[in-house]
Amino acid sequence: MELLCERVIASTGQPLRPGDALRRVFEAIAGGLLLPGGPGLYDPCEREATDALSHLTPQQREDITASAQHALRLIVFRQIHKVLGMEPLYTQARNLGRRGNRNRKRRRDGDDADGDDAEGKKDKKEDGSEMETDGVQAGSK
């Protein structure tokens, strides 16, 4: 595990924050690093090219890759607490305050609850002037 993390993090060429480093490790595993046809993980201490994970069966390698893909999805969708097996550090209310209103749907024309709608249905009076249906005359401002 240490060899895997060291190789993946060292390949960036620049310092990474801990969260970015964890995500990069999961991205490498999820990308097929451990799969039988993949690049593998070679041990630098051995003279000849030896896969450090040769003791894993192909099924175990696929299971690890699938688990890394699932963990990466959770990390991307801000559920890293599930990957780490801990309680979330933020509350829903605090998260809402930071991002503003989550209701991003547009209002329908008839759903204006502010009462700012000066236009309304107008009925014709018998003498020819217009009157609003709410009982307020249109010309009486």
Side-chain angles (χ1 to χ4, degrees):
M1 185 65 155
E2 184 179 349
L3 176 63
L4 172 69
C5 293
E6 191 275 329
R7 290 289 179 158
V8 170
I9 294 170
S11 69
T12 61
Q14 62 185 4
L16 291 174
R17 295 178 297 185
D20 293 334
L22 179 68
R23 182 174 176 169
R24 187 164 170 88
V25 168
F26 278 114
E27 286 174 350
I29 297 170
L33 180 72
L34 306 180
L35 291 177
L41 185 65
Y42 293 101
D43 192 356
C45 298
E46 299 293 327
R47 287 190 175 173
E48 59 273 343
T50 306
D51 190 6
L53 301 172
S54 61
H55 64 281
L56 295 175
T57 66
Q59 183 62 48
Q60 289 174 325
R61 289 174 183 238
E62 288 179 19
D63 291 344
I64 292 170
T65 302
S67 296
Q69 289 171 348
H70 179 69
L72 187 59
R73 283 187 203 101
L74 290 174
I75 292 170
V76 167
F77 290 111
R78 308 190 118 218
Q79 296 180 3
I80 192 170
H81 62 277
K82 292 180 180 179
V83 175
L84 298 175
M86 57 186 283
E87 294 294 319
L89 297 177
Y90 58 90
T91 62
Q92 192 73 357
R94 189 173 117 197
N95 198 19
L96 279 175
R98 181 174 48 151
R99 290 190 185 166
N101 188 5
R102 285 197 172 248
N103 187 7
R104 302 185 83 184
K105 294 182 180 178
R106 291 185 195 168
R107 286 187 173 169
R108 292 184 181 174
D109 291 337
D111 290 345
D112 194 13
D114 295 336
D116 295 338
D117 193 9
E119 298 288 324
K121 287 187 177 180
K122 296 182 181 179
D123 293 334
K124 294 271 187 185
K125 285 176 64 175
E126 291 176 14
D127 61 347
S129 64
E130 293 182 353
M131 181 177 83
E132 290 202 22
T133 57
D134 295 345
V136 179
Q137 289 185 357
S140 62
K141 279 192 175 181

